[in-house]
Amino acid sequence: MAIGVVMGVVATHALPCVYLASRKKKQVKVGDKLPATVLYEGAPDTTVTLTDLCKGKKVVIVGVPGAFTPTCSKTHLPGFAADSAALKAKGVDEIVCVSVNDPFVMQAWGQAIGGDVRYLADMKGELAAELGLVLDATGKLGNKRNVRFALVAEDGVVTVVKIEEGGALTCSKSSDLLAAL
């Protein structure tokens, strides 16, 4: 089990976040097919199946521990929003952000961040589990979440994957994916 400690600011309070990354299921790797996980967009009755979303396309999928969390909101996702044109110039058809949140929160976060990124909710953490990227954040964020990651899938097959350890942001930034494409 990997443990990392990050200091973040939520509202006006300092919040130490301890991230525990579960390694029980094998992590997603290059060559794996993405699962047919159902995700939610904007409301609980609006579903998107990941395999349908990726069919015949090159898709960037960015996973974050939580919407409106400091690193995710200040650095990670704004980079993908700012670099969306550069990613699309490298052949990316769609950029998707997923997080274990409800679809209303993800929609509001997408409006706050902006950019050409689609925000989808993994309400029950099923995608995080299927990819082997579960983060046990129950002590600080209330439930299990995703480990921070970014991947590229072409027609549903993973071609690039960048998985962070602990609460770090060292390898899954938009600039890292641009360099890998």
Side-chain angles (χ1 to χ4, degrees):
M1 215 174 260
I3 299 176
V5 178
V6 176
M7 290 297 290
V9 177
V10 175
T12 58
H13 302 88
L15 173 71
C17 298
V18 177
Y19 295 97
L20 301 173
S22 172
R23 301 288 187 243
K24 291 180 183 172
K25 180 174 170 41
K26 263 191 164 176
Q27 289 184 331
V28 64
K29 64 186 180 317
V30 170
D32 287 351
K33 289 185 179 182
L34 292 175
T37 308
V38 174
L39 302 169
Y40 302 85
E41 186 169 31
D45 60 349
T46 307
T47 61
V48 176
T49 303
L50 188 59
T51 49
D52 292 342
L53 173 73
C54 296
K55 189 175 184 178
K57 297 186 213 170
K58 182 187 278 190
V59 179
V60 167
I61 302 172
V62 184
V64 297
F68 295 107
T69 57
T71 302
C72 303
S73 291
K74 292 178 183 173
T75 309
H76 202 200
L77 260 293
F80 282 93
D83 289 340
S84 61
L87 287 162
K88 290 192 175 195
K90 293 229 179 192
V92 171
D93 297 298
E94 191 152 15
I95 303 163
V96 176
C97 174
V98 294
S99 184
V100 180
N101 276 295
D102 68 73
F104 302 112
V105 168
M106 292 301 287
Q107 182 178 32
W109 193 39
Q111 291 168 349
I113 299 289
D116 193 6
V117 178
R118 203 167 165 185
Y119 292 79
L120 302 177
D122 181 15
M123 289 199 307
K124 299 173 190 168
E126 293 168 339
L127 180 61
E130 285 292 323
L131 296 178
L133 300 176
V134 174
L135 169 72
D136 186 355
T138 52
K140 299 297 176 186
L141 297 175
N143 59 346
K144 292 182 180 179
R145 304 289 183 108
N146 307 335
V147 171
R148 188 182 324 279
F149 72 92
L151 65 80
V152 178
E154 294 187 40
D155 199 24
V157 177
V158 177
T159 58
V160 176
V161 63
K162 306 285 186 173
I163 302 168
E164 299 289 358
E165 290 293 326
L169 181 58
T170 60
C171 69
S172 68
K173 297 180 297 290
S174 59
S175 58
D176 298 315
L177 284 194
L178 281 166
L181 290 173

